[in-house]
Amino acid sequence: MFDLYIANKNYSSWSLRPWVLMKALDIPFNERLMPFEGGLGASHDTFIRFSPSGLVPCLVDVNDDGELAVWDSLAIVEYLAEQHANVCPADKTARAWARSATAEMHSGFNTLRDECSMNCGVRVELNGLSAKLKTDVARLDALWQQGVERFGGPFLAGEHFTAVDAFYAPVAFRVQTFNLPVSEASQAYVEHLLALPAMQAWYQAALEEPWREPMHETETLKNGTLKADYRKA
């Protein structure tokens, strides 16, 4: 049985990736939610107890041979793909494209991450888009359109939700929070992702969370103005 260690659903984009993948594909796991304890690095001493990197997410495979920890969202997805064929597209071409798009998300879009941090429960009006953010959004838009058009949609690599969609799921929340300007086709993809039962479950749980972490809250508003806060606590 898997134990998946994650942090706050409202903030933790990296945690969302394996969580939504496993939920959407009905891969059983126990959720272990460990809230952030403060600013950058403040949770390390707690997280290091279950994650070798001191970061989340971390998947712990508990079996007859003991416990095996798999950390980093990309490694977790690859580990799951070895045991569940539906994690990746069946078609060779779609699978190669999806792997490339997944890796690009994992290592790139740094300005998007920096200027539009994930905060599911709020809506923010940006003061404007920096040149680098415009570049990231344009690339994101082009990549999404390419995937949907090339493989027929409604997901990036075809008919079924796979790992590549899980990696862009946090970006869908960012588009919603910051009203990022994407094409009609990309907006349709975003709305399709947001409507998934697994995404709705994550979102509703995020709204119910009682925690407010000052660093994440400050990051959310450093380039814009708060327009709405739908969190219930």
Side-chain angles (χ1 to χ4, degrees):
M1 187 66 172
F2 296 123
D3 287 344
L4 180 64
Y5 288 85
I6 63 173
N8 309 50
K9 290 178 179 174
N10 190 55
Y11 305 125
S12 188
S13 58
W14 301 88
S15 297
L16 171 58
R17 295 170 173 181
W19 190 98
V20 74
L21 179 70
M22 297 174 80
K23 280 289 185 180
L25 300 186
D26 294 321
I27 299 173
F29 68 97
N30 298 313
E31 177 186 306
R32 308 296 187 192
L33 196 156
M34 310 293 291
F36 290 121
E37 296 177 1
L40 187 64
S43 303
H44 181 272
D45 289 346
T46 297
F47 290 179
I48 199 69
R49 299 172 190 168
F50 54 81
S51 172
S53 66
L55 300 171
V56 289
C58 182
L59 184 76
V60 178
D61 189 352
V62 183
N63 52 52
D64 293 339
D65 297 323
E67 295 185 356
L68 171 65
V70 184
W71 64 98
D72 190 280
S73 58
L74 185 58
I76 292 171
V77 166
E78 290 176 348
Y79 184 73
L80 293 172
E82 293 176 349
Q83 304 173 57
H84 300 273
N86 56 348
V87 167
C88 297
D91 176 74
K92 178 181 178 180
T93 301
R95 190 165 62 252
W97 184 92
R99 282 174 171 164
S100 297
T102 298
E104 182 177 356
M105 181 69 252
H106 193 60
S107 63
F109 297 100
N110 293 321
T111 302
L112 177 67
R113 302 177 199 275
D114 179 60
E115 297 187 14
C116 301
S117 62
M118 193 170 93
N119 193 325
C120 298
V122 303
R123 303 293 181 270
V124 176
E125 182 177 339
L126 290 172
N127 298 328
L129 274 68
S130 68
K132 289 184 177 180
L133 181 56
K134 288 180 180 177
T135 298
D136 272 5
V137 172
R139 172 55 188 154
L140 182 75
D141 200 2
L143 185 147
W144 282 352
Q145 289 186 69
Q146 181 188 41
V148 172
E149 291 173 5
R150 183 173 182 182
F151 302 109
F155 296 105
L156 289 182
E159 181 180 359
H160 302 291
F161 182 92
T162 59
V164 66
D165 301 293
F167 265 67
Y168 285 92
V171 184
F173 280 129
R174 286 179 165 97
V175 172
Q176 176 176 259
T177 293
F178 295 96
N179 193 28
L180 296 176
V182 296
S183 66
E184 184 177 340
S186 290
Q187 186 62 42
Y189 171 65
V190 166
E191 292 174 3
H192 192 71
L193 278 186
L194 294 175
L196 289 174
M199 288 285 280
Q200 283 293 304
W202 177 280
Y203 179 63
Q204 292 302 320
L207 297 184
E208 297 285 349
E209 288 180 343
W211 310 290
R212 299 289 182 273
E213 201 287 299
M215 184 188 75
H216 286 89
E217 295 296 315
T218 299
E219 285 184 345
T220 300
L221 298 178
K222 69 180 180 180
N223 296 306
T225 303
L226 182 67
K227 304 301 291 184
D229 189 337
Y230 297 110
R231 295 172 291 181
K232 298 178 180 179

